């Protein structure tokens, strides 16, 4: 639908020539060679009349969409523990790879509120049954590995930005489960549809206060949160930590408990910009999102609706970008953020290194989400070991950075103390970089048209007035095309190899 509309609009935009030809700086990651976000020979664009070539990708700044917040990954306990095992040299390499100069320039991050599947074991911050006032709330668990990791990331990010936090790491929290004493099934994991919060207002109010305490304690320890999702995957039936919330339950929790608690703490406001960005849903790109998000948005009071920033989304149900786009069309005043993605394997299997599919999966999903109005994209674990761990649920999942050299013994125990630990960059790290390095916060998505069906495309106008266009080819064949800046009439003949991603940078005028 967007493509047809854009094509009509672009046909009425007249070409205008500039005095001197622009130059395309472009970068490439390709399975067929050693290019990994590798700069290529610059291409001088043509100012001569546009040739009648069949394959074209055309961009224009005359049409604009959403503004980008950023890209990032999750500071899980698994990633934090692995980071803590590395020596100073390897830690600095990780910090620079994600947040330092020459790295992926991550400006977002997800923080589990209590344990999730990618924790070493289940834990929470208040083990005292009936502690409705959170007198015994204690985040000391997170102060061992997780908060120090975030603090170091924030520090290197600040240095990269010239000693100021002009581009901070926007961290948002997500809870997988409340403490077991708050849940109907009496345990943090294995949540059936009847295993959500105990049906008692004192419990629901206590869980809302649990969130507030977490945000306050993190800020006291130098880690302020930018946002909060109401519940991780509220419709998931899984063996690890979870808490069922149907749309009515989430709406009631927000309306009567969470938003009033956040408002009392000065974290949200119905009349002005809120300090904390509250997101609903945090689940899959499936058609159920229409009913779920619609119920929450339609039935919250105006006061509390004004305290909702938008919705958050995961990728595990498949590339149903039309659902995300449909939610934007129904509720354009609310924001959209992609908040979790990873590829997984059968338990007890060793990760393939490299795993090219995961890179292309990242690239394809990021492109689809951005073109469906997502304002950022955050993957799951920042790093894992070669066996897709550590975690307490026998899962094997991939991450952009893999810590190698971990010894597993026959009895299933792990030796993380050996001195041969190293760092391996999966293709997904480089595919992420094609977006996060070149589409900084405050970039605005612009209009584009492509008649090359084998290629996925998106394009952005950056704050420095450069256009960044990302082109992905997941097919087995190279594709040639004419790249056109509609606004200036300049063009260039280009080719993208099979299983390759490119980012193009050039002036917008």
């Amino acid at each position: 639908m967007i493509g047809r509309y854009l094509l009509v609009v672009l046909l009425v935009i007249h070409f205008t020539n500039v005095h001197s030809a622009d130059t395309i700086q472009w970068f490439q990651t390709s399975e067929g060679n050693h290019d990994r976000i590798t700069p290529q020979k610059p291409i001088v664009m043509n100012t001569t009349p546009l040739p009648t070539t069949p394959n074209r990708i055309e961009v224009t700044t005359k049409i604009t969409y959403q503004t980008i917040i950023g890209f990032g990954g999750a500071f899980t306990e698994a990633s934090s523990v692995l980071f803590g095992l590395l020596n100073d040299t390897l830690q600095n390499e990780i910090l620079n790879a994600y947040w330092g100069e020459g790295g992926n320039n991550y400006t977002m991050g997800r923080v589990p509120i209590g344990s999730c599947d990618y924790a070493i074991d289940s834990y929470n911050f208040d083990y005292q049954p009936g502690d409705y006032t959170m007198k015994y709330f204690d985040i000391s668990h997170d102060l061992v590995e997780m908060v120090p990791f975030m603090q170091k990331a924030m520090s290197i990010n600040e240095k990269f930005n010239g000693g100021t936090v002009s581009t901070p790491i926007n961290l948002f929290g997500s809870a997988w489960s409340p403490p077991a004493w708050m849940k109907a099934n009496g345990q943090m994991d294995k949540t059936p549809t009847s295993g959500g919060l105990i049906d008692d207002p004192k419990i629901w109010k206590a869980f809302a206060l649990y969130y507030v305490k977490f945000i306050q304690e993190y800020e006291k320890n130098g880690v302020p949160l930018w946002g909060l999702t109401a519940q991780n995957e509220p419709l998931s039936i899984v063996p690890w930590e979870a808490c069922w919330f149907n749309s009515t339950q989430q709406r009631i929790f927000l309306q009567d408990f969470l938003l009033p608690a956040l408002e009392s703490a000065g974290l949200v406001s119905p009349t002005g910009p809120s300090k904390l960005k509250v997101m609903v849903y945090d689940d899959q790109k499936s058609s159920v999102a229409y009913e779920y998000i619609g119920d929450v948005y339609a039935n919250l009071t105006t006061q509390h609706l004004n305290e909702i920033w938008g919705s958050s989304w995961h990728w595990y149900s498949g590339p149903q970008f039309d659902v995300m786009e449909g939610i934007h069309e129904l509720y354009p005043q609310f924001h959209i953020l992609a908040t979790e993605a990873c590829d997984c394997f059968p338990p007890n299997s060793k990760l393939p290194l490299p795993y090219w599919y995961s890179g292309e999966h990242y690239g394809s999903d990021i492109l689809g989400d951005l073109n469906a109005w997502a304002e950022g994209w955050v993957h799951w674990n920042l790093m894992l070991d070669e066996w897709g761990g550590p975690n307490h649920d026998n899962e094997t999942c991939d991450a952009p950075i893999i810590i190698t050299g971990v010894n597993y013994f026959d009895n299933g125990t792990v030796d993380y103390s050996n001195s041969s630990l190293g760092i391996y960059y999966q293709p997904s790290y480089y595919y992420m970089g094609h977006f996060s390095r070149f589409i900084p916060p405050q970039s605005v998505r612009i209009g584009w048209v492509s008649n090359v069906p084998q290629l996925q495309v998106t394009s952005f106008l950056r704050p420095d007035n450069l256009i960044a266009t990302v082109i992905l080819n997941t097919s087995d064949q190279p594709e040639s095309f004419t790249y056109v800046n509609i606004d200036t009439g300049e063009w260039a003949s280009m080719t993208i190899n099979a299983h390759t991603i490119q980012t193009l940078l050039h002036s917008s005028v």
Side-chain angles (χ1 to χ4, degrees):
M1 177 165 44
I2 283 181
R4 292 197 297 271
Y5 170 75
L6 277 176
L7 185 58
V8 172
V9 173
L10 290 177
L11 287 174
V12 302
I13 298 177
H14 297 290
F15 288 166
T16 58
N17 287 322
V18 294
H19 296 295
S20 60
D22 192 17
T23 299
I24 297 176
Q25 308 290 333
W26 58 298
F27 305 80
Q28 177 172 276
T29 295
S30 183
E31 184 180 31
N33 55 39
H34 296 293
D35 284 347
R36 300 293 183 268
I37 320 183
T38 305
Q40 308 295 304
K41 183 179 180 181
I43 297 174
V44 178
M45 299 183 79
N46 294 281
T47 58
T48 57
L50 185 65
T52 56
T53 51
N55 290 348
R56 290 189 189 178
I57 296 174
E58 304 175 343
V59 300
T60 177
T61 61
K62 300 296 192 295
I63 303 169
T64 58
Y65 302 96
Q66 80 273 24
T67 300
I68 288 297
I69 300 168
F71 303 86
F75 289 88
T76 59
E77 185 182 26
S79 295
S80 302
V81 166
L82 286 174
F83 179 79
L85 293 172
L86 302 176
N87 60 37
D88 290 346
T89 299
L90 294 179
Q91 283 194 0
N92 286 332
E93 182 177 337
I94 294 283
L95 293 170
N96 282 293
Y98 276 136
W99 301 283
E101 187 171 7
N104 270 5
N105 193 29
Y106 277 10
T107 56
M108 300 206 77
R110 193 177 187 210
V111 183
I113 301 176
S115 62
C116 61
D117 47 331
Y118 267 87
I120 307 305
D121 205 348
S122 290
Y123 67 89
N124 66 78
F125 305 118
D126 193 329
Y127 288 91
Q128 184 64 42
D131 183 19
Y132 303 119
T133 63
M134 295 292 111
K135 176 182 178 181
Y136 298 100
F137 187 92
D138 181 8
I139 66 163
S140 58
H141 170 280
D142 284 16
L143 299 179
V144 178
E145 302 281 2
M146 298 174 69
V147 167
F149 182 22
M150 294 176 220
Q151 290 170 336
K152 288 183 178 181
M154 294 165 65
S155 176
I156 198 75
N157 176 72
E158 183 175 337
K159 291 177 183 177
F160 175 39
N161 284 285
T164 66
V165 193
S166 56
T167 308
I169 302 176
N170 290 317
L171 299 171
F172 59 94
S174 298
W176 271 245
S177 173
W181 59 269
M182 295 186 187
K183 283 184 64 182
N185 67 349
Q187 57 193 78
M188 292 181 66
D189 56 2
K190 299 180 178 62
T191 181
T193 57
S194 60
L197 287 174
I198 293 172
D199 189 15
D200 182 343
K202 294 195 302 293
I203 294 289
W204 289 50
K205 186 176 182 179
F207 190 34
L209 184 57
Y210 185 85
Y211 278 9
V212 171
K213 289 289 189 180
F214 179 83
I215 296 165
Q216 292 173 335
E217 290 301 310
Y218 256 60
E219 183 154 14
K220 287 179 184 176
N221 285 277
V223 183
L225 293 190
W226 167 89
L228 175 73
T229 73
Q231 169 65 42
N232 174 73
E233 296 187 355
L235 299 179
S236 289
I237 309 285
V238 292
W240 51 82
E241 291 88 340
C243 187
W244 179 271
F245 271 102
N246 62 33
S247 61
T248 301
Q249 291 167 329
Q250 184 165 113
R251 172 172 50 82
I252 292 171
F253 180 57
L254 287 163
Q255 175 82 33
D256 296 339
F257 301 99
L258 182 56
L259 291 172
L262 294 172
E263 188 175 330
S264 295
L267 295 168
V268 299
S269 170
T271 58
S274 291
K275 178 179 179 181
L276 189 76
K277 310 298 187 290
V278 178
M279 292 168 271
V280 307
Y281 192 53
D282 207 27
D283 218 315
Q284 314 304 325
K285 289 194 291 269
S286 62
S287 58
V288 72
Y290 286 112
E291 179 182 353
Y292 197 106
I293 297 173
D295 181 12
V296 175
Y297 284 171
N299 293 298
L300 282 175
T301 64
T302 300
Q303 172 185 341
H304 290 312
L305 195 62
N306 290 338
E307 296 169 334
I308 297 295
W309 182 80
S311 58
S312 48
W313 302 69
H314 299 181
W315 81 349
Y316 304 106
S317 64
Q320 296 163 283
F321 307 118
D322 59 312
V323 176
M324 185 181 283
E325 184 179 351
I327 290 295
H328 170 79
E329 291 175 351
L330 289 170
Y331 310 103
Q333 69 272 39
F334 294 104
H335 305 267
I336 289 173
L337 186 66
T339 53
E340 187 180 316
C342 72
D343 287 303
C344 296
F345 300 84
N348 302 313
S349 55
K350 198 170 185 179
L351 295 175
L353 305 177
Y355 186 49
W356 204 265
Y357 168 79
S358 185
E360 293 191 336
H361 195 182
Y362 272 51
S364 181
D365 197 79
I366 298 169
L367 280 158
D369 284 353
L370 293 180
N371 287 334
W373 295 90
E375 297 176 26
W377 202 93
V378 179
H379 60 78
W380 194 207
N381 298 275
L382 285 162
M383 70 196 81
L384 293 172
D385 65 30
E386 293 174 271
W387 299 88
N391 62 78
H392 66 277
D393 201 63
N394 199 29
E395 291 181 89
T396 302
C397 293
D398 196 17
I401 290 180
I402 302 301
I403 305 304
T404 60
V406 176
N407 287 335
Y408 277 73
F409 299 116
D410 291 340
N411 64 1
T413 60
V414 185
D415 174 19
Y416 286 112
S417 64
N418 79 61
S419 60
S420 62
L421 297 179
I423 297 172
Y424 183 86
Y425 296 90
Q426 284 281 47
S428 54
Y429 170 82
Y430 300 103
Y431 274 71
M432 277 292 296
H434 274 272
F435 300 90
S436 60
R437 295 188 187 200
F438 302 105
I439 305 174
Q442 300 305 309
S443 297
V444 177
R445 183 164 65 96
I446 62 173
W448 61 267
V449 166
S450 169
N451 64 353
V452 192
Q454 295 83 358
L455 304 181
Q456 286 183 257
V457 180
T458 195
S459 193
F460 286 81
L461 178 64
R462 302 176 0 153
D464 59 7
N465 286 321
L466 293 180
I467 290 175
T469 300
V470 183
I471 304 169
L472 173 65
N473 182 9
T474 61
S475 76
D476 295 330
Q477 301 296 325
E479 292 290 340
S480 296
F481 58 93
T482 301
Y483 180 78
V484 185
N485 181 349
I486 290 288
D487 301 341
T488 65
E490 296 174 299
W491 59 273
S493 297
M494 302 194 68
T495 297
I496 184 169
N497 294 330
H499 300 288
T500 296
I501 186 171
Q502 296 175 345
T503 301
L504 284 53
L505 285 181
H506 61 91
S507 174
S508 59
V509 293

